[in-house]
Amino acid sequence: MIGENAMKDSELIQKMHSGNKEAVSIIVERYYADIYRFCLYMVQTENDAYDIAQETFLKFMKYGTSYKHHNLKGYLLTIARNICFNYLRDKKEKVAVIEKEEIDKIPNWKDMLIEVEDAVYLKNLLKKLSQDTREVIILRIYEEMKFKDIAKIMGCSVSTTKSRFRLGINQLKKLMENDYEK
């Protein structure tokens, strides 16, 4: 029986080399289930196994004229194996890229803690400034308002607002320097 199948495969290959499309159909019918099953074991998903099995036979048809082996099923499995390995390698690379992107989205708790500590520290420093000076700094830095708009809100001149801002920044610098020296 094995010799008969081998003979039949060799006859089909000869017919395929001479352009007989029916021979290709017989080869696909004969080995498709084996190739599909192998691909399914390799890639674990039905759709991908189906695609790889299809690609296996397309490659065989494209390059089959150079086929000179004695084991057609083994040859088809080798093609399928190579396609599966390429698929798995590409999938692994994509997963690695996706995982890296996901990891990058995870907040860095250390950085967040430092930001919170800085915010608390700055809030405590701001408490040490006068009400008017603190208000100008908050409106200018945190709310990103222009000095003329701050002056309107506070009911004072633009030059007074700028003066309070410079005074507040200098006071904050001195407070930080004092804390740094401690």
Side-chain angles (χ1 to χ4, degrees), residues 114-127:
I114 290 170
E115 286 179 27
V116 169
E117 287 175 344
D118 289 347
V120 169
Y121 176 69
L122 189 56
K123 184 178 177 183
N124 287 332
L125 288 180
L126 286 170
K127 285 181 184 177

Side-chain angles (χ1 to χ4, degrees), residues 138-168:
I138 290 170
L139 291 173
R140 178 71 177 150
I141 294 176
Y142 292 109
E143 301 300 324
E144 300 176 353
M145 294 181 74
K146 296 179 180 179
F147 285 117
K148 67 178 184 173
D149 297 330
I150 296 169
K152 285 181 186 174
I153 290 172
M154 296 187 70
C156 61
S157 68
V158 174
S159 60
T160 302
T161 304
K162 288 180 180 180
S163 176
R164 287 179 181 164
F165 182 77
R166 274 191 306 274
L167 176 70

Side-chain angles (χ1 to χ4, degrees), residues 21-70:
K21 294 184 182 194
E22 187 179 330
V24 175
S25 295
I26 294 169
I27 291 170
V28 171
E29 282 179 38
R30 183 176 291 171
Y31 294 110
Y32 184 83
D34 294 331
I35 300 304
Y36 172 77
R37 188 172 41 256
F38 171 79
C39 294
L40 186 58
Y41 283 125
M42 292 291 288
V43 299
Q44 303 290 312
T45 59
E46 291 180 15
N47 287 337
D48 293 336
Y50 172 80
D51 290 344
I52 293 170
Q54 295 295 321
E55 188 176 345
T56 299
F57 286 101
L58 289 173
K59 282 193 185 228
F60 174 71
M61 287 186 284
K62 184 174 182 180
Y63 302 110
T65 55
S66 64
Y67 171 76
K68 302 214 184 322
H69 299 83
H70 299 288

